[in-house]
Amino acid sequence: MKRLFLISFLMIAFAVNAQDASQNNGNEKKKKEKIYNEKGELIKKGWNFGPLPVVGYNSDLGFQYGACVDIFNYGDGSRYPKFDYKMNLEVSAYTKGSLNLRFYGDFYNLLPNSRLFVDAGYFTDKRFEFYGFNGYASPFFPHLSAWENDRPEELFFFNDLMPGAKGKTTFYLMNRNQFRFNSSLRRQFGFGEHLYYGFGLSYFNYDMGKFNIDKYGDVVTLYDIYCLSGLIRANEADGGNVTQLKLAFIYDSKNHDSDPTKGMYFEATFTGAPDIIDGDGYSHLTFNAVWQHYVPIVKENLTFAYRFVTQNVIAGEIPYYAMFNSNMLFYKKMSTDAVGGSNSVRGINRNGVIGAGYAWLNAELRWKILGFQFINQNWNIALNPFFDAGMVTQSFHLEEQEQAWDLLRENYDVNEGFLIDPIYSGEKEGIHTSAGCGLKIIMNKNFIISAEAAKALDARDGNGLRMYIGFNYLF
């Protein structure tokens, strides 16, 4: 862990040097005049260019390594710490088999009174986690969640279903490759300083399939069982294409985008997904709402921040692979998957709360314990203890899930001596909760190194402490 923090500081130093070099390019012989605002912060102007290595850690994904470049334009500095334009290009990988290729651009006032956001990326995940549908309605067996453990005898009967299955378990894993493109435009209403409307166009290609890392052989997974039982239908098992058209209404009074200390943000987004490419009958309409509130307790040094997100299918039928995605207008995080893991309910199983509709809550205290200037940059050190919660609010094929195991046993003549049901637990859905704390290193209110640790408060959501080291606040 000490090495991770050391590397994080080296990342920051590298970025600082790159930004200073960019600012001073062509002006080596002319020293710039330093200008400070009323808070004593050094005002940044013009372009800031920062190539830097990507180093992180995620308990679900492993160690992250790669490179990225951040490009900021602060204009004449009158809006600092807000920026006019930001662009980011990242190429990174995780040691457990994920790859990220992503570009995004966030442009304020490129068009008058507008914000344009463009995001494109390709993501592979050889160990994409799948725990079944409808939260606690799907049983969780902790001894099956560790890849190194032997498969218990209760599941040996699957050798008859899938000859050649080996003795190492990868039960909750599958393979997913995803291409994503998203373009969103937000414009201010003629009335109301903080009121906006937005449009969006998104496209996703999902390549879903069986877990297929060679060294594990032909293993049996929950995904295989869902396909055999028909809970995952043949025309959606391998993934597909999703085209989205979005209409959003927004209220935004946050005082800053990356490090807000007061204000509110509300977004209501209707997302229509006509099945115009595959023609499998999976056209659907979803409604997504986001409420974020930042309550100052001690000026800008102590803030109570909370976020509530909900999403439901209000018409049509959604394929299982599209349920993982949270359909917000702007995608600020690398991953848009919910619910569970570093982007939503920290500390519980990644993708552990999946249904046609779901909701989650994040609540945290953001305490800036130290602020200073160093190497011509503005710095803060902050702590953020937090509590997260989430649940499925709209079930997905629940009645079929209840009957799937009995039908599977009948169709494949499973030995009566093995009665374990890996599909349906018989339990009702409840609230999945976790708690933890984070440490933030903040530079110029826009570049944030984040380290968080969280633990599920119910053993059905996973065991042990989970660590997430990366960038930015969660919201």
Side-chain angles (χ1 to χ4, degrees), residues 423-473:
I423 301 177
Y424 181 62
S425 66
E427 299 182 22
K428 293 183 178 180
E429 173 63 325
I431 300 177
H432 308 250
T433 57
S434 66
C437 188
L439 173 68
K440 301 291 185 288
I441 304 172
I442 306 167
M443 183 179 74
N444 296 329
K445 293 188 179 295
N446 286 313
F447 183 83
I448 303 173
I449 294 289
S450 171
E452 295 181 329
K455 189 179 188 305
L457 300 182
D458 190 310
R460 293 175 294 176
D461 292 313
N463 295 321
L465 190 68
R466 306 204 179 190
M467 296 290 300
Y468 312 105
I469 298 178
F471 298 99
N472 298 319
Y473 279 106

Side-chain angles (χ1 to χ4, degrees), residues 223-372:
Y223 167 78
D224 298 320
I225 300 173
Y226 266 60
C227 291
L228 284 169
S229 68
L231 274 173
I232 294 179
R233 292 158 171 75
N235 64 358
E236 61 177 342
D238 297 331
N241 298 281
V242 178
T243 303
Q244 297 179 336
L245 302 172
K246 298 180 180 179
L247 173 64
F249 301 94
I250 299 164
Y251 176 85
D252 186 0
S253 64
K254 302 191 311 297
N255 64 336
H256 192 263
D257 203 46
S258 299
D259 182 24
T261 56
K262 64 179 179 179
M264 293 179 288
Y265 180 89
F266 173 75
E267 176 185 321
T269 303
F270 294 90
T271 301
D275 189 6
I276 57 178
I277 298 178
D278 298 332
D280 290 328
Y282 291 121
S283 296
H284 57 278
L285 175 67
T286 63
F287 174 73
N288 180 288
V290 181
W291 171 258
Q292 299 172 190
H293 192 190
Y294 306 89
V295 183
I297 299 175
V298 182
K299 298 182 178 180
E300 294 190 354
N301 295 321
L302 183 62
T303 303
F304 175 64
Y306 65 92
R307 175 177 70 164
F308 178 75
V309 182
T310 183
Q311 180 168 300
N312 285 275
V313 177
I314 57 178
E317 184 170 359
I318 188 171
Y320 86 97
Y321 51 80
M323 291 194 305
F324 296 99
N325 192 65
S326 181
N327 296 322
M328 302 175 187
L329 187 64
F330 298 104
Y331 293 149
K332 300 181 67 174
K333 288 286 188 178
M334 181 75 72
S335 172
T336 61
D337 293 329
V339 173
S342 62
N343 293 318
S344 52
V345 182
R346 294 159 286 189
I348 75 170
N349 290 329
R350 183 169 65 124
N351 308 322
V353 185
I354 298 299
Y358 45 75
W360 80 82
L361 169 73
N362 309 111
E364 57 186 51
L365 279 174
R366 298 179 179 179
W367 178 26
K368 292 180 179 176
I369 58 177
L370 182 63
F372 56 96

